[in-house]
Amino acid sequence: MSVVEQHPALMEVNPPLIRAKDYHDLTEQISVITEGDVLKTPLKYWITLSITGGVTALLGAMLTFLVWNGIGVWGNNRPVGWAWDITNFVFWIGIGHAGTLISAILFLFRQKWRTSINRSAEAMTLFAVMCAGVFPLFHTGRPWRAYWLFPIPNTDLNLWQNFRSPLIWDVFAVSTYLTVSALFWFTGLVPDLATLRDRAVTRTKQVVFGILSLGWRGSARHWRNYEMSYLILAAISTPLVLSVHSIVSFDFATSVIPGWHTTIFPPYFVAGAIFSGFACVMTLLIIARWALNLHNIITMKHLENMNKIILVTGSIVGYAYATEFFIAWYSGNTYERYAFLNRAMGPYWWAYWTMVTCNVISPQFFWFKKLRTSIPVMFVLSITTNIGMWFERFVIIVTSLHRDFLPSSWGYFKPTWVDMCTFAGTIGLFLTLFLLFARFLPMIAMSEVKGVLAHQKGAFKNQEVVSK
Amino acid sequence: MTPSTMDKLGIGDDKVYGVIGEFSEPHDLVEAGRKIRGMGYTKLDAMTPFPVHGIDDAIGVPSSKLGWIVVCFTILGAATAQGLMYWVGAVNYPLVIGGKPLFDVSYSIPVTFELAVLFSAFAAFLGMWAINGLPRLYHPSMCYKNSHRASDDRFLLVIEADDPMFEPAKSADHLRGVGAAEVEVVEG
């Protein structure tokens, strides 16, 4: 019996990151979720899945409707040419950033607590980027011509892409991001798929996991190359994730629209992306932790650490809002000043102040340990953060466009029911994919958590020596 | 399948893959690996549920060459991007847009960066599987009775039959001598 078990008080001083008796116990705790008989999955799972599946079907219906009628079914028009579609695109891409931050940047910083949450956060990244891709793809109006976005020689366009435009940079950034995230995610998944293969009892599972795990056998030679590959993928994903939202922000920053044309955008967008992404990971993990009984592996320490990151990035975002206002005043540029005053006090004041309340004020509650470690508080704040971050993109895009340089061109954007149902549909798609992932693939990176457990055991051994 | 391929893959009735012993803690495996290597064995392997640090030095796993492959592909990716944008913009279809130069390093940085990352990622991913000789759905080590636990909670040490010092009974005794449980001579 370890000294920590003998003296419960020690748990408080140095709580273990994960609670498992041994390696086998850990394998059991995680594999059992994916291994249960499909037919015996609790009814609440099927009910939830059918609801999210229905909402995904709504997305399909809306996109079909859009393709049939043309993009006029969306509310964006002169002067607000970008509205909900690009707001939703930036929103979803931003959500994805937390996954890469957890899997790559925290890996490089040797943050052991990341191992319990990285798999699900990476999956969330993939699904969020897929949802993001829907909007620019369908905003083209002719998604079947989407290959025109890439430099593929063709005879129907007979033109090359304009590499001087940030929009093409965006195509490269987002498609690279999706591809690299998928490779990184699958690399991490292989050893766990091998575990599932070795535990499989039915022929189908043996064949499926046997093929997916590529014959992984955990050889020391393989692990050496594997760890190198993982390190390289983490090292290139780190600048990649910073570049993606920077390039997304270039779509705005390189234009001459007051409210968009600022150099603060890249860092401000990246901080906002991480802020919203962590909030989304938090929402999903609180639900998964409760529904799948993952309390031993996703502990309060993980949640608290994530809340600290939310606090830091939320404060950076708040600071960026203040800087924007200061620079608008300091620039002496009338249009710039007007754009910002109009944001806070013009026709979209309600969107602006929702954003400030959710993004600047609400994360500040996390200064208090009591609130930072309370599940209901963090659940509510994670949702308000995501509402706030959606409004941030809405405010940036719509308020900057609805007042043109010519007052005769001024307008007021209102979303249509198709706008709303399409956005709701992507939420349905996101949740459906996440539910399927949580049920059928190992949601926690077993091989990585075992490494942490080995380390933890070693640490406890030293404590025993000291206490004797 | 010809007999020579079968021999290479370690498949067949007459082929002995090696002798495997298991440990239940990573540090025991490293300790045992070091001792076995000290006896003069050179063809050793270990199978573990997670990367065990220290095992590389203990049993002499060469360092990974993946980094060099990736560096080459990073450069190739960046060069491809620069070449593409120069050829497309300034050679194949020169088109003045907004009075901007037909090609310039400044605006080509984002795409160059992204393609360098994309090429590196594929090199790191595919290169790793290639060096490891995977996918390979069957391997003789899977005939070991507890091989399924190498992805769960057991740490296996292998003396391969290719080792010049390998003698089934003696090597098995050596493994037992360093504390291995469930020692077995494994045939492919």
Side-chain angles (χ1 to χ4, degrees):
Chain A
M1 196 186 222
S2 79
V3 87
V4 177
E5 283 163 15
Q6 286 168 9
H7 305 284
L10 269 177
M11 293 279 266
E12 300 303 317
V13 186
N14 187 10
L17 212 44
I18 38 180
R19 284 187 287 269
K21 280 208 295 286
D22 49 33
Y23 304 117
H24 182 68
D25 180 40
L26 202 88
T27 314
E28 284 290 334
Q29 285 191 43
I30 298 162
S31 310
V32 82
I33 301 167
T34 63
E35 284 172 343
D37 191 342
V38 178
L39 298 173
K40 286 184 190 146
T41 310
L43 193 64
K44 64 180 176 187
Y45 177 81
W46 295 118
I47 295 172
T48 322
L49 190 68
S50 57
I51 295 171
T52 59
V55 181
T56 311
L58 181 69
L59 174 68
M62 286 305 110
L63 295 178
T64 314
F65 185 71
L66 175 129
V67 169
W68 191 264
N69 290 288
I71 57 161
V73 295
W74 280 349
N76 34 342
N77 209 329
R78 298 265 167 224
V80 186
W82 280 358
W84 271 45
D85 51 344
I86 305 299
T87 302
N88 298 338
F89 165 73
V90 182
F91 171 77
W92 280 121
I93 287 278
I95 296 252
H97 279 48
T100 320
L101 185 101
I102 291 168
S103 60
I105 300 182
L106 296 185
F107 176 76
L108 296 183
F109 282 112
R110 301 264 181 263
Q111 294 294 306
K112 292 199 164 54
W113 61 276
R114 75 180 259 292
T115 56
S116 294
I117 54 173
N118 70 333
R119 171 75 43 75
S120 45
E122 285 168 36
M124 184 201 74
T125 296
L126 282 179
F127 306 149
V129 176
M130 286 177 195
C131 290
V134 166
F135 292 99
L137 188 65
F138 281 84
H139 195 182
T140 60
R142 291 182 179 81
W144 54 94
R145 296 282 196 213
Y147 63 92
W148 285 358
L149 292 165
F150 297 95
I152 301 166
N154 57 65
T155 50
D156 48 356
L157 179 67
N158 276 320
L159 269 178
W160 288 112
Q161 291 67 29
N162 175 19
F163 285 103
R164 282 152 278 195
S165 161
L167 296 180
I168 191 82
W169 307 345
D170 220 10
V171 171
F172 276 81
V174 173
S175 53
T176 301
Y177 186 45
L178 181 65
T179 315
V180 175
S181 302
L183 294 179
F184 200 13
W185 183 66
F186 183 71
T187 303
L189 205 49
V190 167
D192 287 0
L193 291 172
T195 304
L196 292 180
R197 171 201 64 199
D198 291 342
R199 291 168 56 91
V201 281
T202 67
R203 186 74 191 146
T204 325
K205 278 188 181 172
Q206 283 170 347
V207 172
V208 171
F209 287 126
I211 292 171
L212 286 179
S213 62
L214 309 177
W216 182 261
R217 57 181 189 273
S219 157
R221 290 159 209 281
H222 292 179
W223 276 122
R224 188 144 211 194
N225 291 317
Y226 177 94
E227 284 202 287
M228 179 54 85
S229 175
Y230 204 85
L231 176 69
I232 292 170
L233 284 171
I236 59 177
S237 297
T238 301
L240 175 67
V241 69
L242 300 179
S243 85
V244 173
H245 233 54
S246 297
I247 291 176
V248 168
S249 80
F250 290 162
D251 293 346
F252 306 101
T254 57
S255 72
V256 292
I257 309 285
W260 285 5
H261 188 67
T262 70
T263 49
I264 198 179
F265 262 24
Y268 157 36
F269 268 51
V270 171
I274 293 164
F275 178 51
S276 68
F278 264 88
C280 192
V281 176
M282 185 62 90
T283 315
L284 292 175
L285 283 188
I286 290 173
I287 299 170
R289 185 176 183 260
W290 163 76
L292 302 170
N293 265 326
L294 294 171
H295 302 82
N296 288 333
I297 296 154
I298 302 170
T299 57
M300 187 51 80
K301 189 148 175 89
H302 296 105
L303 301 178
E304 194 190 345
N305 281 353
M306 282 161 65
N307 286 335
K308 285 179 184 168
I309 293 184
I310 292 178
L311 172 61
V312 170
T313 47
S315 304
I316 295 175
V317 167
Y319 175 69
Y321 295 161
T323 309
E324 272 191 322
F325 264 80
F326 171 75
I327 293 296
W329 166 76
Y330 191 65
S331 70
N333 182 319
T334 339
Y335 293 104
E336 199 70 25
R337 283 185 184 180
Y338 172 75
F340 280 91
L341 284 177
N342 187 49
R343 261 184 201 178
M345 287 173 295
Y348 288 108
W349 64 270
W350 50 272
Y352 184 82
W353 292 107
T354 309
M355 169 189 101
V356 170
T357 314
C358 293
N359 289 355
V360 184
I361 299 166
S362 71
Q364 302 306 322
F365 289 112
F366 285 148
W367 282 107
F368 306 99
K369 192 172 173 99
K370 204 161 196 166
L371 301 175
R372 202 159 67 212
T373 50
S374 151
I375 302 269
V377 170
M378 62 177 98
F379 188 70
V380 170
L381 289 187
S382 72
I383 289 179
T384 57
T385 297
N386 268 308
I387 296 173
M389 283 309 292
W390 188 89
F391 271 102
E392 179 197 297
R393 280 65 176 251
F394 178 83
V395 164
I396 290 173
I397 293 168
V398 174
T399 66
S400 305
L401 288 174
H402 84 295
R403 290 289 176 261
D404 210 325
F405 289 103
L406 274 179
S408 62
S409 310
W410 288 5
Y412 188 82
F413 164 79
K414 281 198 200 94
T416 63
W417 63 275
V418 185
D419 272 316
M420 295 180 199
C421 292
T422 312
F423 180 50
T426 52
I427 297 175
L429 175 66
F430 178 74
L431 293 176
T432 306
L433 290 170
F434 197 83
L435 279 171
L436 290 173
F437 157 74
R439 173 66 184 80
F440 295 104
L441 286 173
M443 211 182 126
I444 313 274
M446 284 186 261
S447 65
E448 292 189 43
V449 177
K450 279 178 196 165
V452 174
L453 187 65
H455 182 83
Q456 197 169 282
K457 279 175 152 181
F460 286 167
K461 220 172 244 171
N462 291 339
Q463 279 186 355
E464 268 174 338
V465 172
V466 171
S467 65
K468 275 169 195 166
Chain B
M1 218 183 273
T2 63
S4 68
T5 2
M6 286 176 72
D7 195 46
K8 211 174 163 189
L9 290 172
I11 311 172
D13 297 336
D14 59 327
K15 176 77 183 178
V16 174
Y17 162 66
V19 52
I20 302 184
E22 70 174 47
F23 298 86
S24 49
E25 283 299 332
H27 46 85
D28 296 336
L29 173 83
V30 175
E31 198 79 348
R34 194 172 289 124
K35 283 181 193 153
I36 288 285
R37 197 176 174 218
M39 292 175 191
Y41 286 103
T42 46
K43 302 264 182 193
L44 299 173
D45 201 354
M47 280 165 218
T48 55
F50 56 87
V52 172
H53 291 218
I55 193 70
D56 299 336
D57 288 339
I59 64 169
V61 175
S63 59
S64 178
K65 292 185 177 58
L66 190 63
W68 296 109
I69 300 175
V70 173
V71 167
C72 297
F73 275 86
T74 310
I75 296 167
L76 182 68
T80 307
Q82 289 281 306
L84 172 81
M85 280 179 280
Y86 178 73
W87 186 75
V88 156
V91 179
N92 189 247
Y93 203 126
L95 197 62
V96 178
I97 298 168
K100 291 171 195 162
L102 294 173
F103 175 78
D104 192 67
V105 174
S106 63
Y107 68 68
S108 69
I109 289 172
V111 171
T112 306
F113 174 77
E114 298 301 334
L115 276 193
V117 165
L118 188 66
F119 275 52
S120 321
F122 272 108
F125 180 77
L126 297 176
M128 186 263 288
W129 300 119
I131 296 176
N132 284 348
L134 296 174
R136 178 179 171 185
L137 300 188
Y138 170 77
H139 188 267
S141 70
M142 291 173 183
C143 295
Y144 176 62
K145 64 178 169 196
N146 273 351
S147 76
H148 64 280
R149 293 188 74 176
S151 63
D152 180 8
D153 63 345
R154 285 292 180 270
F155 302 82
L156 311 184
L157 188 60
V158 188
I159 303 176
E160 290 176 359
D162 299 348
D163 197 296
M165 274 179 68
F166 182 81
E167 276 170 57
K170 222 169 112 192
S171 301
D173 279 342
H174 283 155
L175 272 184
R176 280 190 203 97
V178 294
E182 308 289 338
V183 178
E184 190 183 291
V185 178
V186 177
E187 293 183 358

